[in-house]
């Protein structure tokens, strides 16, 4: 049996790694966890959320792996409404708030600088 322990990183395609680093650090407060050369002229870039969890690997577009699509990435926040207002005030393309009716936590979809769609959802107790 495999000994998988946790999700370590999620790959997100980007058109320009430097522009993506700037977007994720400036808009979401992520930090650069890795930016190293590998292969022939390639870079491995990861950004990390401020409170930990899985990193996002910002990888160049290739083949069917393109920008501007639903990523399936759901980030968590302790203040979804506050983050929603802040992201919108900072020019982030964010949809209206959803949920928050007691059965579904508050959440909203938003797009990064490459048009990749992510979800921000309220942290729930386990």
């Amino acid at each position: 049996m495999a000994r998988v322990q946790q999700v370590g990183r999620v790959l997100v395609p980007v058109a320009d790694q430097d522009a993506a680093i700037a977007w994720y650090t400036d808009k979401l407060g992520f930090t650069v966890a890795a930016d190293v050369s590998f292969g022939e002229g390639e870079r491995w870039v990861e950004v990390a959320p401020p409170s930990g969890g899985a990193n996002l690997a910002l990888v160049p577009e290739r083949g069917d792996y393109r920008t501007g699509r639903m990523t399936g990435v759901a980030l968590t926040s302790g203040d979804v409404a506050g983050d929603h207002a802040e992201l919108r005030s900072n020019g982030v393309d964010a949809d209206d708030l959803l949920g928050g009716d007691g059965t579904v936590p508050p959440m909203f979809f938003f797009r990064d600088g490459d048009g990749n769609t992510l979800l921000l959802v309220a942290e729930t107790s386990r």
Side-chain angles (χ1 to χ4, degrees), residues 72-99:
V73 173
L75 305 171
T76 59
S77 168
D79 182 9
V80 169
D83 288 337
H84 183 261
E86 182 176 339
L87 289 173
R88 277 193 166 176
S89 73
N90 286 328
V92 173
D93 178 15
D95 295 344
D96 291 337
L97 287 166
L98 303 167

Side-chain angles (χ1 to χ4, degrees), residues 23 69 92-95 109-118:
W23 194 92
R69 298 185 179 176
V92 173
D93 178 15
D95 295 344
F109 290 97
F110 68 98
R111 277 139 303 278
D112 70 8
D114 283 299
N116 296 309
T117 301
L118 301 100

